[in-house]
Amino acid sequence: MASNATTAPKTYPSAPIELPLRLDADPSLVDGCALCANQARQRDMARANGNASKATDLNVRMRRHFKADHS
């Protein structure tokens, strides 16, 4: 029986996937909004402590808050 190359399992690693580097600006703050200011402060503290994951999570929360409450 002949082997089918399309269904045979790979025995070698695939080439790495290259993802683009995203350098999005931080979300905008609204003057006088306590929630915007609090989340920005928490994000800055997370960044200062080397917690990039938390800083990114806070940016997502800030963008959602802006869209829901300020647009």
Side-chain angles (χ1 to χ4, degrees):
M1 190 186 274
S3 126
N4 186 347
T6 59
T7 59
K10 282 186 176 182
T11 58
Y12 56 90
S14 300
I17 297 172
E18 292 188 29
L19 300 174
L21 178 62
R22 294 188 59 179
L23 297 174
D24 297 339
D26 286 340
S28 301
L29 303 180
V30 174
D31 289 333
C33 178
L35 186 56
C36 285
N38 185 42
Q39 289 181 346
R41 182 183 54 78
Q42 289 180 26
R43 179 201 55 215
D44 294 343
M45 286 177 24
R47 232 183 239 149
N49 290 325
N51 192 342
S53 178
K54 185 173 182 177
T56 299
D57 290 345
L58 284 158
N59 275 340
V60 170
R61 290 174 60 189
M62 291 170 69
R63 284 188 179 95
R64 288 180 182 166
H65 163 69
F66 185 86
K67 186 175 182 180
D69 296 338
H70 300 301
S71 44

